Amino acid sequence: MNAEPRHPRTRQTFYRRDRRSVRLAREFAHEALTDWATAERSDDVLLCVSELATNALIHGVPAGRGFLLRLTLHTDGVLRVEVHDSGPGEVRIPEPTPEAEHGRGLLLVAALADKWGVGERSPGKIVWCEFAVRGDEVAVPGRPR
């Protein structure tokens, strides 16, 4: 018997350089997580979406441009969040002082996500993070696990 091929589930959308885009990105991610029944780490995922989207707007999106948010739920239960921007710059975790009002976003991402990193694109970069949201394979709709 041939097994049905399983493919990752992906959703993506583009946001303009606008402060409302962070809220919209979080709402988009929440809807995807709800549809994919991946609630067990949704608070961590949504916080990381907010932080990566905020960083893209502040540091990575030149005037007149925007950023792409891509969510992929792989069949092995790993959820990958990617934020693509077209701006220059190096992504690094800063060392904020206790009095600093900014600079903790990537610290949060590093603490909450199972993995995170930066990939290249031309122009710009992709900042990503991953979460194990299921220990077994993702169910195919209409088929028992």
Side-chain angles (χ1 to χ4, degrees), residues 119-142:
E120 294 181 22
R121 71 181 290 258
S122 183
K125 62 200 157 300
I126 303 166
V127 183
W128 58 269
C129 58
E130 292 181 343
F131 301 85
V133 293
R134 295 198 176 132
D136 56 350
E137 289 193 87
V138 175
V140 173

Side-chain angles (χ1 to χ4, degrees), residues 9 11 29-42 45 73 77 79 132-139 141 145:
R9 300 175 192 173
R11 290 194 185 173
H30 182 266
E31 182 178 310
L33 296 174
T34 300
D35 289 349
W36 293 339
T38 56
E40 60 268 17
R41 297 196 60 195
S42 62
V45 172
L73 180 60
L79 176 70
V133 293
R134 295 198 176 132
D136 56 350
E137 289 193 87
V138 175
R145 284 182 145 179

Side-chain angles (χ1 to χ4, degrees), residues 97-116:
T97 63
E99 306 83 34
E101 295 181 19
H102 304 284
R104 291 179 181 80
L106 285 178
L107 286 169
L108 289 171
V109 172
L112 295 173
D114 297 324
K115 295 180 188 177
W116 79 278

Side-chain angles (χ1 to χ4, degrees), residues 65-86:
R65 298 220 177 153
F67 68 92
L68 176 83
L69 171 63
R70 178 179 295 147
L71 305 170
T72 304
L73 180 60
H74 294 275
T75 57
D76 62 358
V78 173
L79 176 70
R80 183 177 176 104
V81 175
E82 296 178 356
V83 174
H84 299 231
D85 70 53
S86 57

